[in-house]
Amino acid sequence: MSEIDFSKIGLKMKQLRTEQGVTQEKVAKDLDCTTAFVSNLENNRTKLNLRVLLYYAKLCNVSVDTLLHAGEVPQVTGSSSEQRNRELLDIFQTFTPEEQKKIIEMLKLWKSTS
């Protein structure tokens, strides 16, 4: 089992939130907490809980796994193929479901012509 660096998870949550154009104020309102609490979460000054993790995953159209992998401390073991697959999945999950469908269609088309 991998060790998790929770500070990286908070930073990833912040990055994804800002990419979505969502303010800390909106997150605070949705979670019924203060903006300071949201800031503290994103800057690793307070503990992350499952409710918050699930909220950010839904808000940013990513899996909880994507957020948790952001904090995963890389291990020396494992093939480069596994790392590449994980990286592709992490990137893929940042797209909306509609974009994901288009990407899959493009990849299938590309594969069929090669």
Side-chain angles (χ1 to χ4, degrees):
M1 180 161 221
S2 302
E3 186 179 328
I4 294 179
D5 180 353
F6 286 95
S7 65
K8 291 183 182 176
I9 296 172
L11 292 174
K12 183 69 171 181
M13 290 173 14
K14 181 177 183 176
Q15 173 201 348
L16 292 171
R17 174 188 57 76
T18 56
E19 287 174 2
Q20 295 290 322
V22 177
T23 64
Q24 287 184 338
E25 289 79 11
K26 167 138 177 45
V27 172
K29 182 180 178 195
D30 290 351
L31 290 174
D32 194 29
C33 63
T34 65
T35 305
F37 178 77
V38 174
S39 175
N40 286 337
L41 282 168
E42 293 180 349
N43 293 294
N44 197 37
R45 291 187 295 259
T46 194
K47 300 248 186 229
L48 178 65
N49 63 49
L50 183 58
R51 179 174 162 252
V52 171
L53 194 61
L54 291 170
Y55 170 83
Y56 271 85
K58 184 174 181 181
L59 173 75
C60 301
N61 295 315
V62 298
S63 68
V64 170
D65 238 18
T66 297
L67 294 173
L68 291 176
H69 282 311
E72 200 170 87
V73 176
Q75 294 181 343
V76 178
T77 61
S79 72
S80 60
S81 175
E82 289 173 4
Q83 292 168 346
R84 187 173 49 251
N85 288 343
R86 178 173 290 152
E87 183 179 4
L88 282 169
L89 183 58
D90 287 347
I91 293 168
F92 185 74
Q93 290 174 335
T94 65
F95 291 98
T96 65
E98 296 81 26
E99 291 170 328
Q100 290 176 355
K101 287 178 186 176
K102 288 178 184 177
I103 291 168
I104 290 169
E105 289 172 19
M106 289 178 5
L107 288 171
K108 286 179 179 178
L109 179 62
W110 185 29
K111 184 65 177 168
S112 70
T113 61
S114 14

